[in-house]
Amino acid sequence: MFSLPISDAEVVATRPAKNRLDPWRPYLTLIEPERSSQGHIEDVLTIFLTNRECPFRCTMCDLWKNTLDERVPLGAIPAQIRHACTPQSAAKHVKLYNAGSFFDPQAIPREDHAEIASLVRSFETVILENHPRLINHRCLEFRDQVQTGLEIALGLETVHPAALASLNKRMTVEDFDHAAQFLVKNGIAVRAFVLLKPPGMDEEQGMEWALRSVQHAVEQGARCVSIIPTRGGNGMMERLQATGNYSPPVIHSMERTLERGLDYANQQSSKPRVFMDTWDSARFFDCPECGPARAKRIGEMNLTQQIPPTVTCSKCQS
């Protein structure tokens, strides 16, 4: 295990170019099924908002690729939401993901909060993302404005202190704890993001610390934990991979980690949901023969929160 003294300047220096975006349009919208807190499989509309880049330069992040250098004009974020919320995009729940923190006033203008709330009030659940250190009274103001179920996703990433420090996220586990407890106390649901195999971990360590991080998030009140396989593609991760300090997790590890996470979650009285992110899952296939079947099985576990029969493979003997 290690803790790299990675600085903002080093992270930025390794980056390729950003994508060009229209501040009046979301850069992506998706509708995907997700198991709800009530145990139903329901559609979720995810709106990836175009806005100013996050001020935190996290080692593993590639979300900055779809951000702007300047704050969006007033009215731009409501316009993006109106563009995404069409009759064809009907869903019960909505995620407003902005590649940073919703309550960063330089990302989402505070003056637009009331209009944003009015646009998403008809959804059963509104899910935002925010850095733990930017959790404050603005969350409560928006809760009162939106008048529907509010859930805020916080990046815990890992409870390993050295690994967390190496991510340049400028937070501690205690920062996450304070934020989660504040939200729970004030009637706002908590979703947590946990990394599988951040820099400095081998495959077994990656799985073990991901599970510990899932458990910690649930203990702090999270009722949903999404495990994210640590990906390359932002420049810095490729640099760490070249020096032997990072390698992406394999699909077998994703599968086993989710199994262990579900086994833990299903023993809890709160019955938290645990998901494994399957975005671009083919990049994690360590066996082309059984990789697709394992990705499908992970998707099934995400929706059912149960552990189905294992996949066997004669090619990789797993």
Side-chain angles (χ1 to χ4, degrees):
M1 192 61 61
F2 76 110
S3 178
L4 287 175
I6 295 175
S7 67
D8 285 8
E10 289 177 295
V11 170
V12 173
T14 62
R15 289 178 172 181
K18 287 184 177 182
N19 296 321
R20 298 186 65 180
L21 303 172
D22 180 350
W24 297 91
R25 291 289 183 268
Y27 71 86
L28 181 66
T29 59
L30 296 173
I31 298 179
E32 297 177 305
E34 182 175 288
R35 189 177 182 88
S36 73
S37 59
Q38 303 302 313
H40 307 301
I41 298 172
E42 298 172 340
D43 282 344
V44 179
L45 170 64
T46 303
I47 308 173
F48 294 93
L49 299 169
T50 299
N51 67 147
R52 184 175 178 171
E53 181 183 330
C54 177
F56 298 94
R57 308 284 196 260
C58 298
T59 302
M60 73 294 181
C61 181
D62 65 353
L63 300 176
W64 52 265
K65 291 180 179 180
N66 292 302
T67 60
L68 304 170
D69 294 330
E70 304 295 333
R71 189 182 193 232
V72 294
L74 293 181
I77 298 299
Q80 292 182 40
I81 295 171
R82 283 193 294 269
H83 179 81
C85 292
T86 65
Q88 292 73 33
S89 63
K92 286 193 173 183
H93 314 275
V94 64
K95 296 176 182 176
L96 302 179
Y97 282 0
N98 68 303
S101 297
F102 185 90
F103 296 105
D104 174 3
Q106 295 305 312
I108 308 292
R110 190 177 181 184
E111 299 91 330
D112 283 337
H113 282 191
E115 186 175 1
I116 292 169
S118 70
L119 289 170
V120 297
R121 191 171 294 143
S122 61
F123 291 93
E124 290 185 12
T125 313
V126 178
I127 305 162
L128 314 175
E129 57 185 350
N130 211 66
H131 191 285
R133 287 181 56 192
L134 297 180
I135 293 295
N136 52 41
H137 65 280
R138 293 193 184 98
C139 306
L140 308 187
E141 292 174 358
F142 190 78
R143 174 203 62 189
D144 295 340
Q145 290 172 321
V146 77
Q147 300 174 13
T148 190
L150 180 61
E151 181 175 306
I152 297 182
L154 305 172
L156 171 59
E157 318 306 356
T158 179
V159 292
H160 191 289
L164 182 57
S166 76
L167 297 178
N168 196 41
K169 195 177 175 73
R170 300 184 194 172
M171 60 163 273
T172 63
V173 174
E174 289 73 24
D175 290 328
F176 173 89
D177 296 350
H178 293 153
Q181 291 164 15
F182 174 84
L183 294 174
V184 171
K185 178 182 176 181
N186 287 285
I188 299 173
V190 174
R191 177 178 298 226
F193 295 130
V194 164
L195 289 177
L196 173 59
K197 200 182 177 189
M201 294 189 187
D202 62 25
E203 216 68 31
E204 289 297 326
Q205 291 171 329
M207 290 187 288
E208 178 62 28
W209 283 98
L211 181 62
R212 291 192 193 187
S213 302
V214 168
Q215 293 170 339
H216 184 87
V218 171
E219 289 166 359
Q220 296 305 311
R223 292 297 170 259
C224 180
V225 183
S226 184
I227 305 170
I228 314 295
T230 307
R231 298 174 172 86
N234 69 347
M236 177 53 73
M237 298 305 292
E238 281 65 32
R239 173 180 158 184
L240 293 176
Q241 189 166 9
T243 58
N245 287 310
Y246 161 74
S247 62
V250 297
I251 194 77
H252 284 78
S253 297
M254 294 167 60
E255 195 178 18
R256 288 171 58 194
T257 302
L258 182 56
E259 287 176 349
R260 294 173 68 186
L262 290 177
D263 185 58
Y264 164 77
N266 289 334
Q267 296 178 50
Q268 307 307 304
S269 59
S270 60
K271 292 294 183 275
R273 294 163 291 155
V274 180
F275 301 135
M276 177 65 68
D277 183 68
T278 57
W279 181 271
D280 198 16
S281 60
R283 69 159 64 188
F284 303 109
F285 291 176
D286 50 337
C287 174
E289 188 73 24
C290 64
R294 296 186 188 284
K296 182 178 179 180
R297 182 171 182 261
I298 290 171
E300 182 179 348
M301 286 191 279
N302 282 341
L303 292 178
T304 65
Q305 294 293 284
Q306 299 297 319
I307 302 174
T310 58
V311 173
T312 58
C313 180
S314 58
K315 185 177 179 65
C316 66
Q317 302 299 312
S318 62

